[in-house]
Amino acid sequence: MKTNDVPYKTYLTEDELPTAWYNLRADMKTKPAPLLNPGTLKPVTAEELERVFCKELVKQELDDTTAYIPIPDEVQKFYRMFRPSPLIRAYFLERALGTPAKIYYKFEGNNTSGSHKLNSAVAQAYYAKAQGLKGVTTETGAGQWGTALSMACAFFGLDCQVYMVKCSYEQKPFRREVMRTYGANVTPSPSMKTKVGRAINAAHPGTTGSLGCAISEAVEAAVSQDGYRYVLGSVLAQVLLHQSIIGLEAKKAFDKLGVKPDMIIGCAGGGSNLGGLIAPFMGEKLRGEADYRIVAVEPASCPSFTRGRYAYDFCDTGRVCPLQKMYTLGHDFIPSASHAGGLRYHGMSATLSELYDQKLMEARAVEQTSVFAAAEQFARVEGILPAPESSHAIRVAIDEALRCKAEGKEETILFGLTGTGYFDMVAYEKFNDGAMCDYLPTDADLAASFAKLPKV
Amino acid sequence: MKTNDVPYKTYLTEDELPTAWYNLRADMKTKPAPLLNPGTLKPVTAEELERVFCKELVKQELDDTTAYIPIPDEVQKFYRMFRPSPLIRAYFLERALGTPAKIYYKFEGNNTSGSHKLNSAVAQAYYAKAQGLKGVTTETGAGQWGTALSMACAFFGLDCQVYMVKCSYEQKPFRREVMRTYGANVTPSPSMKTKVGRAINAAHPGTTGSLGCAISEAVEAAVSQDGYRYVLGSVLAQVLLHQSIIGLEAKKAFDKLGVKPDMIIGCAGGGSNLGGLIAPFMGEKLRGEADYRIVAVEPASCPSFTRGRYAYDFCDTGRVCPLQKMYTLGHDFIPSASHAGGLRYHGMSATLSELYDQKLMEARAVEQTSVFAAAEQFARVEGILPAPESSHAIRVAIDEALRCKAEGKEETILFGLTGTGYFDMVAYEKFNDGAMCDYLPTDADLAASFAKLPKV
């Protein structure tokens, strides 16, 4: 076992930290299709978006030509609390697998939100504060995004209103308490605070909510209160922009080590982590400077890339958000109750969808029992207890390392370890007890869902 | 706000990592009093200890003259998974307090066990494996130690049997699941697996257990199975030795920065974190090379230093372990059900007790409501959600920084942030709901407990 070749962990120094985000769209010849106004079906304007979103974030959302966007000074300072994240050489996993592959992972879990979500939360809270807002609203399902936003709002002195899917609110009281500790106002959704919440409660008494409903409530809360805007933790181009910090740091660390990965693997729900991790590498690929295999890993229970359609669809069940062209399972698709809450989204980032459609990246769907088996194997040798979402990438990294072993190839693999599983022990308990199952949508399920795609 | 003076976080490079632990006792003129055999009341021999503990660990326990003990190569490799831990300049906390004090903290929570406990767990598991043992037994209350030991045993392929205080087992199912994920066998104590467990269950039907009982069960399990030994996560000199890695790294990072702390603050339960953090600084103090104010912070509900007696006492309620001369509240003392489980120990490290008796360090007791207020304040500006135990040190660091503000002094403060609070959200919930109380022992409680101190 070599540990004097490349260090186990590589940290950039503060001087080496990126000072600008990288906007991948600037290097795409065919840009992602524009967002459409759900009423007019015409490209949405900045003015329309600014009713819901912060002004500067709308600008970033619509800008597909500026390659580098400076990171504001206050955001850079906040980043120093939890960044750089380490680039880790998985020596122990390599030894356990007996593979000639060289495995690296970029670990984003070393912060209290437990995931990469904080990278965008701090940026969004900063712009909200800079605009002079009182606060922001959002929804959260698994809880990582709500936690990250609560932390960012506490730091900037913003009110933070989180609509948390009721079943999560009840099943994950500890996630809720972390948000409350950071001063957030957490409401189980559907609530009686909004029109849409009251309507849903009336129509479906006793419902435990859904992400779609929580989004609708958060948007209503934002537009109906003076000095509030709505913020979102994934899917949007602005989020991928902020998350590019992951890939920029990883690329710089590899350059310091004199290493070039052959393959980059990331889990994909809405695409925020994967889009951020691959950004500078995909940029090189688009500019013809280098080549990389890039693999998106999604749950077999919610397979947007591998079984979805590339079409315009609503981003939310409530149909209040703009339409986006993306790989989608249909906005009415309800994935089974898997334990990777952060990956249970019917659609996918428009940017990643376009790149996938251009065959610049691959996708693979994996079942959750095999994901937890990989998570446990990883935890026991590498120490870190991974989030179920992140473990999708681990599964494929292990599979690829074993392929390298079978083929006798010394490939260099990078995967994104987006977060920790401390708040997912109910899922681990099910796995440890042998009580976890895989539920996959049938072709009939998907056909029914595709039938409801909007005609654009 | 300066961030280009000293970096927010200072990491040592792998080349700079300590390769030997520092044995503070070697520099003490008056050594800690010897452990006594509870039967004979004579100093315990290596042979006697080796029936219960690993051979190499017994050697370390009894060695009070060798200053530096090499860290085995495999342990150094494991350390690279989660070490170096960062030395963090609390710029954001300083700004929030408006203090001229310079506050630093050494953060030990960036690993799955969530605390510094892993530093000793990996060493103890390594020596158990090197001795050819099949496994180890231990007890755990709050769960940090059990988790750390489970991780270390998974890595070295050792069986790990954890006796978890029954009320914790039931109230902290997620802690239990982390241990199970690392392959540990977790038994609620008192159990029906051991003689002492059956006896206690018979005498006190429905009891939810205590740390004292769990220790007794773990020791019995170790001595009654071939190829097993018992391991302990605090109090012992060997544990402080392994934990010296914290202080050694901190000292080296300060030296790199050209900074010398005036004051070092750590929470103290059994003393493992505090003893490790202060080791090289106290060494300089003992050798007359430098001076530092050193402050132990303990819960007012379990005030061994501030209200205890310096006397020989049993380390466990079951009286199966050796007698140790230490600051103690009496082995029968039951602290109130505070939320800092890791600090609810009736005694204190013999080494720290002797240093405190020689007035080389101070001690302060703080109440848990004020501790959680400090924890929340810290979390909101510094990002990290601290463990209740660690927050005792935060409380005093904030108080001292405010004293510096009042006195206009630019002192440099270092405190130990031993871990994260992700598994303590029940406690935070109580605090957030305004439902937390402080229960302090009365003088009569303590007098009754002191009356049961053994006559040595």
Side-chain angles (χ1 to χ4, degrees):
Chain A
M1 179 180 176
K2 311 160 281 185
T3 59
N4 38 12
D5 166 10
V6 159
Y8 183 77
K9 285 188 273 189
T10 302
Y11 285 104
L12 300 180
T13 65
E14 287 193 1
D15 294 341
E16 294 168 331
L17 292 183
T19 56
W21 293 300
Y22 169 59
N23 184 5
L24 181 55
R25 291 167 296 167
D27 282 312
M28 291 170 71
K29 276 171 207 148
T30 308
K31 308 288 183 189
L35 294 171
L36 301 185
N37 178 312
T40 64
L41 297 186
K42 287 185 184 160
V44 73
T45 65
E47 207 189 346
E48 286 165 352
L49 285 174
E50 284 168 14
R51 287 176 211 147
V52 178
F53 298 102
C54 300
K55 206 174 161 87
E56 192 63 29
L57 292 166
V58 168
K59 205 172 138 198
Q60 293 179 355
E61 190 66 30
L62 299 177
D63 183 347
D64 57 12
T65 54
T66 309
Y68 286 93
I69 294 177
I71 305 173
D73 198 47
E74 271 295 301
V75 176
Q76 287 191 48
K77 282 183 184 156
F78 192 109
Y79 276 173
R80 289 178 192 194
M81 269 196 211
F82 67 103
R83 309 207 66 81
S85 72
L87 177 70
I88 304 179
R89 173 77 183 268
Y91 282 114
F92 300 107
L93 180 61
E94 291 171 19
R95 179 167 72 173
L97 298 174
T99 179
K102 290 167 180 154
I103 310 174
Y104 291 83
Y105 54 101
K106 180 76 170 161
F107 178 45
E108 292 289 318
N110 271 350
N111 72 75
T112 292
S113 79
S115 82
H116 67 293
K117 294 288 182 186
L118 195 52
N119 297 326
S120 186
V122 52
Q124 297 196 43
Y126 168 79
Y127 289 120
K129 186 70 180 180
Q131 190 175 330
L133 298 178
K134 285 184 212 159
V136 291
T137 70
T138 200
E139 76 292 330
T140 200
Q144 285 105 327
W145 168 248
T147 309
L149 190 68
S150 304
M151 291 175 67
C153 286
F155 187 81
F156 290 114
L158 278 172
D159 184 35
C160 182
Q161 302 178 354
V162 181
Y163 287 83
M164 187 171 187
V165 177
K166 196 179 272 176
C167 69
S168 286
Y169 183 91
E170 285 161 2
Q171 284 171 9
K172 293 191 158 188
F174 295 168
R175 270 279 174 211
R176 179 188 77 210
E177 281 313 315
V178 179
M179 291 185 256
R180 283 183 71 205
T181 299
Y182 281 92
N185 195 321
V186 188
T187 303
S189 166
S191 74
M192 298 305 276
K193 284 187 184 173
T194 64
K195 268 189 217 168
V196 62
R198 288 189 293 272
I200 292 172
N201 272 318
H204 307 280
T207 176
T208 55
S210 73
L211 205 55
C213 168
I215 294 179
S216 305
E217 286 207 84
V219 171
E220 182 185 323
V223 299
S224 61
Q225 293 175 90
D226 273 347
Y228 281 77
R229 289 294 184 283
Y230 167 72
V231 296
L232 183 63
S234 191
V235 184
L236 297 177
Q238 62 187 261
V239 179
L240 269 71
L241 174 72
H242 307 146
Q243 295 296 356
S244 70
I245 190 85
I246 305 172
L248 291 166
E249 281 186 10
K251 180 85 176 57
K252 209 161 194 173
F254 272 126
D255 289 347
K256 269 178 85 167
L257 298 174
V259 170
K260 183 186 163 295
D262 297 297
M263 184 171 194
I264 302 164
I265 301 167
C267 62
S272 69
N273 147 68
L274 182 69
L277 175 69
I278 66 171
F281 301 99
M282 182 62 89
E284 288 191 319
K285 196 165 167 169
L286 288 166
R287 296 189 304 271
E289 297 165 7
D291 197 20
Y292 304 95
R293 269 187 71 196
I294 293 175
V295 184
V297 189
E298 58 186 16
S301 59
C302 193
S304 327
F305 270 141
T306 52
R307 296 177 69 193
R309 296 263 175 90
Y310 190 35
Y312 266 106
D313 195 7
F314 295 100
C315 290
D316 62 315
T317 323
R319 306 182 187 193
V320 296
C321 294
L323 287 163
Q324 180 170 273
K325 191 178 177 193
M326 58 183 175
Y327 275 85
T328 178
L329 298 165
H331 58 276
D332 258 1
F333 177 78
I334 307 280
S336 66
S338 90
H339 292 287
L343 304 182
R344 293 180 72 237
Y345 183 65
H346 68 277
M348 182 56 67
S349 143
T351 305
L352 294 182
S353 293
E354 180 56 30
L355 293 166
Y356 181 65
D357 196 57
Q358 293 179 30
K359 305 204 185 325
L360 287 160
M361 49 185 279
E362 310 164 29
R364 210 169 294 176
V366 290
E367 299 187 9
Q368 71 173 346
T369 46
S370 76
V371 165
F372 275 84
E376 190 167 282
Q377 183 178 16
F378 179 82
R380 290 186 184 187
V381 292
E382 288 285 322
I384 297 168
L385 186 81
E389 291 83 357
S390 324
S391 304
H392 286 67
I394 297 176
R395 172 73 274 159
V396 172
I398 289 176
D399 291 346
E400 288 293 321
L402 292 173
R403 176 191 55 76
C404 289
K405 182 181 182 179
E407 298 176 356
K409 285 186 180 160
E410 269 199 38
E411 294 177 21
T412 297
I413 298 170
L414 165 65
F415 71 88
L417 189 67
T418 56
T420 53
Y422 303 132
F423 293 100
D424 298 285
M425 295 318 298
V426 168
Y428 274 95
E429 181 171 15
K430 242 185 194 166
F431 178 74
N432 291 334
D433 290 343
M436 184 175 278
C437 304
D438 296 305
Y439 302 100
L440 311 189
T442 64
D443 288 339
D445 292 338
L446 293 180
S449 182
F450 292 146
K452 293 183 193 163
L453 283 172
K455 312 282 175 256
V456 177
Chain B
M1 180 183 175
K2 311 160 280 184
T3 60
N4 38 13
D5 165 11
V6 159
Y8 183 77
K9 285 188 273 190
T10 302
Y11 285 105
L12 300 180
T13 65
E14 287 192 1
D15 293 342
E16 295 168 331
L17 292 182
T19 56
W21 293 300
Y22 169 59
N23 184 5
L24 181 54
R25 291 168 296 169
D27 281 312
M28 291 171 71
K29 275 172 209 147
T30 308
K31 308 287 182 189
L35 294 171
L36 301 185
N37 179 311
T40 64
L41 297 185
K42 284 184 186 161
V44 73
T45 64
E47 206 189 347
E48 286 165 352
L49 284 174
E50 284 168 15
R51 287 175 211 149
V52 178
F53 297 101
C54 300
K55 204 174 163 89
E56 192 64 29
L57 292 166
V58 168
K59 204 173 138 197
Q60 294 179 354
E61 190 64 31
L62 299 178
D63 182 348
D64 57 12
T65 54
T66 310
Y68 287 93
I69 294 177
I71 304 173
D73 198 47
E74 271 295 301
V75 175
Q76 287 191 47
K77 282 182 183 157
F78 192 110
Y79 276 173
R80 288 177 193 195
M81 270 197 210
F82 66 104
R83 309 207 66 82
S85 71
L87 178 70
I88 303 179
R89 173 76 183 269
Y91 282 114
F92 300 107
L93 180 62
E94 291 171 19
R95 179 168 70 173
L97 298 174
T99 178
K102 290 168 180 151
I103 310 174
Y104 291 82
Y105 54 101
K106 180 75 170 161
F107 178 45
E108 293 290 317
N110 272 349
N111 73 74
T112 291
S113 79
S115 83
H116 67 293
K117 294 288 183 187
L118 195 51
N119 297 326
S120 186
V122 52
Q124 297 196 42
Y126 168 79
Y127 289 120
K129 186 71 182 178
Q131 190 175 331
L133 297 178
K134 286 184 209 159
V136 292
T137 71
T138 199
E139 76 293 327
T140 200
Q144 285 105 326
W145 169 247
T147 309
L149 191 68
S150 303
M151 292 175 66
C153 286
F155 187 81
F156 290 114
L158 278 172
D159 184 35
C160 182
Q161 301 178 355
V162 181
Y163 288 83
M164 187 171 186
V165 177
K166 195 178 271 175
C167 68
S168 286
Y169 183 90
E170 285 161 4
Q171 284 171 9
K172 293 191 158 187
F174 295 167
R175 270 280 174 210
R176 179 189 77 209
E177 281 311 317
V178 179
M179 291 185 255
R180 283 184 70 205
T181 300
Y182 282 92
N185 196 321
V186 188
T187 303
S189 166
S191 74
M192 298 304 276
K193 284 187 183 173
T194 63
K195 267 190 218 169
V196 62
R198 288 189 293 271
I200 292 173
N201 272 318
H204 307 280
T207 176
T208 55
S210 73
L211 205 56
C213 167
I215 294 179
S216 305
E217 286 207 85
V219 171
E220 182 185 324
V223 299
S224 61
Q225 293 176 91
D226 272 347
Y228 281 77
R229 290 294 184 283
Y230 167 71
V231 296
L232 183 63
S234 190
V235 184
L236 297 176
Q238 63 189 262
V239 179
L240 269 71
L241 174 71
H242 307 146
Q243 295 295 356
S244 70
I245 190 85
I246 306 172
L248 292 166
E249 280 187 10
K251 179 85 175 58
K252 208 161 193 171
F254 272 127
D255 289 347
K256 268 178 88 166
L257 298 173
V259 170
K260 182 187 164 294
D262 298 298
M263 184 170 195
I264 302 164
I265 301 166
C267 62
S272 69
N273 149 68
L274 182 69
L277 175 68
I278 67 171
F281 302 99
M282 182 61 89
E284 288 190 319
K285 196 165 167 168
L286 288 167
R287 297 189 303 270
E289 297 165 8
D291 196 20
Y292 304 95
R293 270 187 73 197
I294 292 175
V295 183
V297 189
E298 58 187 15
S301 59
C302 192
S304 327
F305 270 141
T306 53
R307 297 176 68 193
R309 296 262 176 91
Y310 191 35
Y312 265 107
D313 195 8
F314 295 99
C315 290
D316 62 317
T317 322
R319 306 182 187 192
V320 297
C321 294
L323 287 164
Q324 180 170 273
K325 190 176 176 192
M326 59 183 174
Y327 276 85
T328 179
L329 297 165
H331 58 276
D332 257 359
F333 177 77
I334 307 280
S336 66
S338 90
H339 292 287
L343 305 182
R344 293 180 70 238
Y345 182 65
H346 69 277
M348 182 57 67
S349 142
T351 305
L352 294 182
S353 292
E354 180 58 29
L355 292 167
Y356 181 65
D357 196 57
Q358 291 178 30
K359 304 203 185 327
L360 289 161
M361 49 187 279
E362 310 163 29
R364 211 169 295 176
V366 290
E367 300 186 9
Q368 71 172 347
T369 46
S370 76
V371 165
F372 275 83
E376 190 167 284
Q377 183 177 15
F378 179 83
R380 290 186 184 187
V381 293
E382 288 285 322
I384 297 167
L385 186 82
E389 291 83 356
S390 324
S391 304
H392 285 67
I394 298 176
R395 173 73 272 160
V396 171
I398 289 176
D399 292 345
E400 289 294 320
L402 292 174
R403 175 191 56 75
C404 288
K405 182 181 182 179
E407 298 176 357
K409 285 188 181 160
E410 270 198 39
E411 294 177 20
T412 297
I413 298 170
L414 165 66
F415 71 88
L417 189 66
T418 54
T420 53
Y422 304 132
F423 293 101
D424 297 286
M425 295 318 298
V426 169
Y428 273 96
E429 181 171 14
K430 241 185 195 167
F431 178 74
N432 291 334
D433 290 341
M436 184 175 279
C437 303
D438 295 304
Y439 302 100
L440 311 189
T442 64
D443 288 339
D445 292 338
L446 293 180
S449 182
F450 292 147
K452 293 183 193 163
L453 283 173
K455 313 281 175 258
V456 177

